[in-house]
Amino acid sequence: MPLTVLAALRAEIDTIDEEIIQLLARRFSATEQVGELKAQHQLTAVDSEREAAQARKYHMLADAHQLNPALVLGMFAAVIQEVVANHQKLATRRMTESDD
């Protein structure tokens, strides 16, 4: 494989990686708003029913795109774990602010 082709493919991968990171930033911005609403209305940080539905959806999407479902589910599990931790911090902060 000529090195120019390899370099072009790596550049494409780098661009895709940047797009994934930008999408993650957008996702976390949206989930921060969800966390604020949950904290404001004293809702729990975890929504087990939604997480289960999303896991089924991720599995279906992984299959549809010929990706390893375990990889996709693991990736989203890490993202969701971070989201829940952020929601818990927001709830704690809101409770602390309301005590003042």
Side-chain angles (χ1 to χ4, degrees):
M1 171 183 294
L3 292 181
T4 55
V5 174
L6 180 61
L9 288 170
R10 286 180 172 166
E12 180 180 1
I13 291 168
D14 292 347
T15 298
I16 293 167
D17 288 348
E18 185 175 341
E19 290 170 359
I20 290 170
I21 291 168
Q22 290 170 356
L23 287 171
L24 272 174
R26 280 183 47 206
R27 190 183 196 287
F28 277 103
S29 177
T31 60
E32 183 176 359
Q33 293 174 55
V34 168
E36 290 286 353
L37 285 171
K38 284 182 173 184
Q40 182 180 358
H41 296 284
Q42 298 176 341
L43 300 172
T44 61
V46 177
D47 184 342
S48 298
E49 287 182 28
R50 174 160 168 78
E51 287 183 25
Q54 289 299 97
R56 289 188 297 274
K57 178 180 168 184
Y58 300 147
H59 194 287
M60 184 181 67
L61 288 168
D63 284 341
H65 292 281
Q66 289 110 26
L67 294 171
N68 179 347
L71 170 67
V72 172
L73 291 169
M75 182 188 73
F76 276 102
V79 169
I80 291 167
Q81 181 179 9
E82 183 70 16
V83 167
V84 168
N86 290 343
H87 287 185
Q88 290 169 335
K89 289 176 193 172
L90 288 168
T92 300
R93 187 179 74 216
R94 182 167 282 278
M95 286 178 16
T96 302
E97 290 171 354
S98 67
D99 289 343
D100 291 341

